[in-house]
Amino acid sequence: MRMMKTSNIWLFPPSLISAVKERNTPTAFFYNSEKTTLEKNDELIFSISIKTEPEDENDDEEENEDYNLVLRVPDAVSCPTLLTYDLLSKLSSSLPRSLQSRTWERSFCIARDGDSIQHMLRLCQPYHQTLLVVQTTKGQVFGAFCTGKWQPFCTKTQNCNTYYGNGQSFLFACDDNDDVEVYRWSGKNHYCQLCQVEQNRIAMGGEGDFGLILEDNFSKGRTGYCATYSNPPLVEDGHFEIAALEIYGPRPFNLLS
């Protein structure tokens, strides 16, 4: 499928599109010709209208399809979002079809919620799938789509050191041109997702190295080739310090308005 936008991106408030795109902190907006100042806890909501079309115009087997992605960002002023509308739209075609029309909301932000892994697990409890986005102190942005609820996965024999998740998960990395490379499950193993509370770390991928691991109270991490996703290191030197971390989940149906 080739993706193309068929309409403008609606951002509420509308005049904040450029501010969010540049990852600046919005301070005020105009709506219905009335100037209103954003307060600390205001929520930023924007939606993306996307249309898919066949790569081959003569191919009758593929059907055109429209869907919307919606992103909800509480505390947008005090804690600007890493998951911009550009990044979400570029990741959308890699998400499972059942999630491509869901509303995504920010459940955890290290700048707002602190660096406790236990607190992160509590905030992410409602979500069985999540998008994790990391920004390093050097400005690099990368992350993962995770298909299991963030929690220790325990068995009687392996003491909560068990991988879980499934082959719909993937890693991704943004380059200097804001292009996004997605590394899908290779099928070589099932080391998709790992949550080790006692070691204070979460990870994606294995065999060779972790594809992505965040540790030490979400202050640092590393990335390397792993057989799970056949990915190169998501950053050049493989090691990084974390400047920002966010986790998004699809809004539960019982909370949809």
Side-chain angles (χ1 to χ4, degrees):
M1 290 285 190
R2 183 172 75 249
M3 309 300 298
M4 78 175 194
K5 298 173 185 174
T6 59
S7 63
N8 292 330
I9 294 168
W10 298 289
L11 176 61
F12 303 97
S15 62
L16 288 181
I17 295 176
S18 59
V20 173
K21 186 175 182 180
E22 297 299 327
R23 297 178 186 162
N24 294 329
T25 301
T27 56
F29 65 91
F30 288 85
Y31 189 66
N32 291 336
S33 301
E34 179 180 355
K35 185 177 181 180
T36 307
T37 301
L38 284 172
E39 301 298 333
K40 179 179 178 180
N41 295 322
D42 281 354
E43 182 174 52
L44 197 62
I45 306 174
F46 57 87
S47 65
I48 305 167
S49 179
I50 296 177
K51 180 177 181 179
T52 62
E53 61 178 19
E55 294 185 1
D56 185 351
E57 294 181 357
N58 297 320
D59 188 354
D60 295 329
E61 295 183 3
E62 288 191 274
E63 297 181 355
N64 293 2
E65 185 172 356
D66 293 292
Y67 59 91
N68 291 304
L69 290 167
V70 181
L71 183 63
R72 302 177 67 93
V73 187
D75 301 314
V77 176
S78 59
C79 186
T81 177
L82 290 179
L83 186 60
T84 62
Y85 65 81
D86 280 336
L87 178 54
L88 181 61
S89 62
K90 289 171 183 176
L91 292 174
S92 63
S93 62
S94 298
L95 295 172
R97 188 174 296 271
S98 61
L99 296 178
Q100 290 180 354
S101 295
R102 294 287 296 276
T103 298
W104 288 84
E105 60 185 6
R106 184 165 62 183
S107 60
F108 177 77
C109 171
I110 195 171
R112 181 192 66 196
D113 303 314
D115 58 9
S116 166
I117 188 172
Q118 294 281 9
H119 189 45
M120 181 275 284
L121 296 180
R122 286 194 294 272
L123 292 175
C124 293
Q125 266 299 300
Y127 310 101
H128 290 275
Q129 302 98 358
T130 52
L131 274 168
L132 182 151
V133 190
V134 178
Q135 184 178 51
T136 72
T137 54
K138 296 181 179 180
Q140 301 146 314
V141 176
F142 51 86
F145 171 64
C146 317
T147 55
K149 181 180 292 191
W150 281 113
Q151 60 186 3
F153 191 83
C154 307
T155 66
K156 293 181 179 179
T157 59
Q158 293 185 304
N159 299 319
C160 300
N161 289 319
T162 304
Y163 278 93
Y164 59 104
N166 62 46
Q168 291 182 315
S169 60
F170 59 78
L171 300 177
F172 68 88
C174 304
D175 63 19
D176 294 337
N177 298 317
D178 289 331
D179 291 326
V180 178
E181 189 71 34
V182 172
Y183 303 99
R184 298 177 181 273
W185 181 57
S186 67
K188 295 178 181 177
N189 62 44
H190 295 278
Y191 303 154
C192 295
Q193 187 173 344
L194 184 65
C195 180
Q196 297 178 315
V197 176
E198 291 184 1
Q199 289 89 345
N200 197 21
R201 64 185 188 178
I202 60 176
M204 298 288 293
E207 191 177 329
D209 198 350
F210 292 110
L212 174 62
I213 182 169
L214 309 179
E215 49 194 346
D216 196 14
N217 294 316
F218 299 134
S219 64
K220 64 181 182 180
R222 70 178 192 271
T223 171
Y225 168 83
C226 73
T228 313
Y229 301 106
S230 296
N231 61 286
L234 303 180
V235 297
E236 187 174 351
D237 57 7
H239 291 79
F240 55 88
E241 295 181 355
I242 298 172
L245 167 65
E246 297 179 349
I247 299 177
Y248 290 77
R251 189 170 175 82
F253 285 113
N254 62 341
L255 297 180
L256 293 175
S257 56

